[in-house]
Amino acid sequence: MSEETEGVRLQKVLAAAGVASRRASEILIEEGRVEVNGQVVTEQGRRVNPDRDQIRVDGSRIPPPRRHQYLVLNKPRGVVSTMDDPEGRPTLSEYLPRTAQRLFHVGRLDTDTEGIIILTNDGEFAHRLAHPSYEVPKTYFVQAAGVMDNHAVKRLAKGVRLDDGPVKPDKVKLISRGKDATLLEITIHSGRNRVVRRMMDTVGHPVDRLGRTGIGPVRLGNLPAGEVRELTREELGALLDVVGL
């Protein structure tokens, strides 16, 4: 039987994924730190199908070999969340490497909103990540006009009613209050159009500047505006868990 028919040795899969060398992977298996489809594996030589089997090390999902591209872009303000714009405005495509395959963005950001956006050519992954039923949380850095008192912050945290129905953030964190502005971190899983801006308008403190800093377990970190990077193994594995793939 070929290796493709009977599977690939588990330690080889772990080594190929960059978890550890083959020998170190064997030690991880011996120590009971590796799971396949929810069951701890301790015997050496176990064969798996890396495309179908769910493999974890210390509880963290090891994604299958990449057949697609998964990129993170720090979208600058003023860039339209499309690959082509008939009006000639800057688009996402201008920031992608020339070696990038034909990609599409997952969700969108307003032209005036900066921050993290994920691009991929994995259709099922993109569909699930954007679908509201999976309730993937997004985290935003908000610079709001005026000094918000505690009452306004609490009102926002409890949820507000918009013209298309009520909405409640998952978390509201007050970062600081300045002379004429308030800085907040808001996490929300609603994907409604301009939802953060509309929430802030409702509590009387319009957004002066808005940036998305996280999508689920993926964080923007210190990625400069206009720069692109690949999702890490840990990030992709965590997102596959979030969307049930």
Side-chain angles (χ1 to χ4, degrees):
M1 296 178 68
S2 68
E3 186 174 65
E4 288 76 12
T5 301
E6 61 184 4
V8 184
R9 290 182 182 273
L10 182 55
Q11 57 266 46
K12 182 177 179 181
V13 173
L14 297 179
V19 174
S21 68
R22 287 201 196 185
R23 178 54 192 148
S25 295
E26 291 173 354
I27 294 173
L28 291 174
I29 294 169
E30 289 174 2
E31 293 176 345
R33 296 166 60 184
V34 181
E35 296 178 20
V36 177
N37 298 327
Q39 294 186 334
V40 175
V41 175
T42 56
E43 75 273 14
Q44 300 297 333
R46 168 72 177 271
R47 292 185 178 272
V48 297
N49 184 322
D51 289 312
R52 291 200 300 264
D53 292 327
Q54 287 198 12
I55 302 168
R56 298 178 187 275
V57 176
D58 294 333
S60 296
R61 175 82 173 271
I62 307 302
R66 298 197 185 197
R67 313 296 187 202
H68 302 91
Q69 282 193 303
Y70 306 89
L71 302 181
V72 175
L73 167 67
N74 184 354
K75 184 187 89 66
R77 284 193 294 174
V79 175
V80 185
S81 290
T82 61
M83 291 300 182
D84 181 63
D85 181 62
E87 299 180 25
R89 294 173 294 180
T91 65
L92 302 176
S93 61
E94 298 177 27
Y95 295 91
L96 299 180
R98 293 182 180 179
T99 56
Q101 302 172 30
R102 184 177 177 84
L103 304 174
F104 44 91
H105 54 284
V106 181
R108 57 182 294 113
L109 287 175
D110 297 332
T111 304
D112 292 334
T113 302
E114 59 196 290
I116 185 172
I117 193 163
I118 293 176
L119 301 105
T120 185
N121 55 358
D122 185 340
E124 181 62 22
F125 171 82
H127 169 73
R128 295 196 184 198
L129 192 59
H131 200 282
S133 65
Y134 290 95
E135 299 187 340
V136 180
K138 286 90 173 177
T139 302
Y140 295 84
F141 173 83
V142 184
Q143 179 179 310
V147 180
M148 294 181 66
D149 57 24
N150 291 338
H151 174 74
V153 175
K154 289 180 180 178
R155 181 186 172 199
L156 181 66
K158 288 182 179 179
V160 297
R161 180 169 290 277
L162 305 177
D163 55 5
D164 55 355
V167 60
K168 183 180 184 300
D170 301 325
K171 182 180 179 182
V172 174
K173 179 182 178 182
L174 176 65
I175 298 175
S176 67
R177 294 185 178 101
K179 183 178 180 181
D180 54 6
T182 303
L183 301 182
L184 302 167
E185 184 180 79
I186 297 177
T187 301
I188 188 168
H189 61 262
S190 172
R192 282 187 262 174
N193 187 41
R194 298 175 66 86
V195 65
V196 174
R197 294 181 183 274
R198 292 191 289 143
M199 289 168 59
M200 298 307 300
D201 287 343
T202 300
V203 297
H205 293 273
V207 168
D208 284 338
R209 187 167 184 172
L210 181 63
R212 187 162 66 191
T213 58
I215 298 177
V218 184
R219 292 292 177 265
L220 191 60
N222 58 2
L223 185 68
E227 293 296 315
V228 175
R229 67 171 177 83
E230 291 190 349
L231 282 176
T232 67
R233 183 189 72 234
E234 292 79 11
E235 289 170 338
L236 179 57
L239 281 177
L240 290 174
D241 275 347
V242 168
V243 300
L245 287 175

